[in-house]
Each structure stands twice: as C-alpha cells, then as structure tokens.
Amino acid sequence: MSSEHEQERRALLRETRQRIEGLRIAGIDRMPRPLDVASRGPRPKPVVRAPDPVQEVSISPPPPKTRPAPAAPAASLFQTEVEVGPSLPVEERLTILTELSAEVARCSMCPKLVASRSRTVFGEGSPTARLMFIGEGPGADEDASGRPFVGRAGQLLTDMITKGMGLKREDVYIANVVKCRPQDNREPEPQEARNCFPYLERQIAIIRPEFLCLLGRTAAVTLLDTALSVTRLRKRWHRYMNVPAIVTWHPAYLLRNPPAKRDTWEDLQMLMQAMGIKPPSK
C-alpha cells in the first residue's frame, strides 16, 4: 500500500471515529436499517383477471379541490431520521466543548492550514444557544485573537445579531467550517472542509441549536451537500441534522456588495419569525 493510500485510509478512519463520537454526544444510539432490495427476491408476476361484467353505477360530483401540502424543507446531508436521546447538562456541554477545542488545537490534518495559522479558532457563544451562525473560516484578525468574527465582517455580524435581531452576541453560538486561517483568506479547499467538518458536526451535536444560519457558500455547500449558489438557496428552509437552517450572504460579501444587505435583512426576518422574535424598535 502506497503512503498516499495509507494517509487516505487513516483520514477516513479518523473522520469516521469523529462522526460516531458526534452522534454519540447527540444521544443517537441507532440508525434505521436500509432496505435490502437484493434480499427481496424477484418481483411476482402480475395476476391477469377476466374483466368484470358491466354494472350500472351512480355518478357523483368530483370531490372539492384541496390545497397542496407545503413543500418539505430541502434534504440535508443526513437523509434518514435518527432517534435522539436527552440533551446534556450545561456543565457537561462546557466540559466537552473545552476538550474538543483542545483536540482541534492539536489537529494537523491539513498541512497548508497548519503552516499558515497562528492558532486555531474553535468558536464561541452560549452552549445552550437557540441559534448558531456558521461561516467559512478565520481571517487575519480571528487568527490573531483566536475568536471567530472579530474583524470588519465580524462587526457587521455583531450588528446583524444585536441591532437587527435584538439579541446579544453571547446568547448565540458562532463557528466556522474550518478552524484554521487559509493563507491570504482564500476559500478552504474541499478536502480541508471535509477534514474539519466532523469538529463542526460535534459542536452542533453538543449545543443542539434550534436554528442554523449558514453564512455564505462554503457553509451552505458543506452542511447541505449541494452545489447550488447562495442566490438559489436563499429565501427557503433547509435542514441539517433535523435542525431548520437558512442560507444568507456572508458578512464579508456584504462589505463588498452593500446592496445585498437588503437580501440578508429579508433572510433574518424569516429567521426571526420562525424563532418568535420581534425586531427591535428603531
């Protein structure tokens, strides 16, 4: 076995262990067994019956038309329903998050990111947050401080949370898909996102937010397993791990394209309505 194949095998094993650990933390102890089509055997041939004799029937008016049921949220990475156990106490959540943060700090799966980072940026906020914001990755300011969204884009996100939604930043949870700063603030490579994704998945499993707000394309593509653009994903609900999620523009994009702030405000209003939150009075 070549060294490259051995590295891929180890990475797959590591990701599988992290995925199982995330599900365990969430209290998930069983998954539905997939249908084994091959074991069903050949399909029986249809039975051909002679036509019944013609009978007189009364013709009644057609039933009234009913409104179609609302469309279900878009499918996520998890296509099956899971049985979730009781949530963890706050103290236990804090302990596990601290341990996970230390594990992230020791991670060396992405050589390029390890070489470019000063420190890892795990995430911050309430361990019992109803709402979790997920971005792309740390920038220079975040890499220097070890905190997510503290630069210009972070200030805009804080304004969205406090001025737009009337919440406190410490009441929500903020994280990124990757925990290390990509050099020159480039977009994370797909393999880098895959390597780091189990950490984010475990954060979600521990915190158990009621709602997710996915900021930008990288977060949407990673969690929703889709190739659609933010434009196509906006203004409708999605689900990840059975958690309702919306997609909106990343604050860094809004700094470059201020007119798109109107779109994000519409998305936040949709989110606030679902959460039962009234916008603060101006």
Side-chain angles (χ1 to χ4, degrees), residues 46-52:
V47 178
V48 180
R49 295 181 177 179
D52 295 330

Side-chain angles (χ1 to χ4, degrees), residues 120-135:
T120 55
V121 182
F122 180 69
E124 68 177 18
S126 170
T128 59
R130 294 184 64 203
L131 173 61
M132 185 171 180
F133 289 90
I134 300 175

Side-chain angles (χ1 to χ4, degrees), residues 229-271:
S229 66
V230 173
T231 301
R232 297 283 301 277
L233 294 170
R234 284 187 56 250
K235 297 192 292 187
R236 59 191 179 100
W237 286 100
H238 309 268
R239 282 190 179 272
Y240 173 74
M241 288 180 69
N242 251 356
V243 182
I246 67 165
V247 177
T248 192
W249 299 111
H250 193 285
Y253 175 83
L254 299 179
L255 292 175
R256 301 191 302 268
N257 300 273
K261 291 181 179 180
R262 182 183 297 273
D263 294 339
T264 297
W265 174 234
E266 293 176 355
D267 298 332
L268 292 182
Q269 287 179 306
M270 184 175 73
L271 179 59

Side-chain angles (χ1 to χ4, degrees), residues 32-43:
R33 186 175 182 179
L35 181 63
D36 187 358
V37 179
S39 65
R40 297 169 60 186
R43 297 178 61 183

Side-chain angles (χ1 to χ4, degrees), residues 156-167 264-265 268-269 272 277-282:
L156 180 53
L157 177 60
T158 300
D159 289 344
M160 290 163 54
I161 296 169
T162 58
K163 298 178 181 178
M165 303 184 71
L167 301 175
T264 297
W265 174 234
L268 292 182
Q269 287 179 306
M272 285 187 288
I277 296 175
K278 293 184 178 180
S281 57
K282 299 298 183 182

Side-chain angles (χ1 to χ4, degrees), residues 1 14-15 29 33 84 114 177 200 235 256 278:
M1 181 181 295
R14 186 186 301 110
E15 182 176 345
D29 58 6
R33 186 175 182 179
V84 181
V114 172
V177 171
L200 175 61
K235 297 192 292 187
R256 301 191 302 268
K278 293 184 178 180

Side-chain angles (χ1 to χ4, degrees), residues 28 30 58 68 83 127 142 153 161 180 190 203 228 277 280:
I28 299 168
R30 61 178 65 99
S58 61
E83 297 183 19
E142 291 76 16
I161 296 169
C180 302
Q203 285 176 293
L228 295 178
I277 296 175

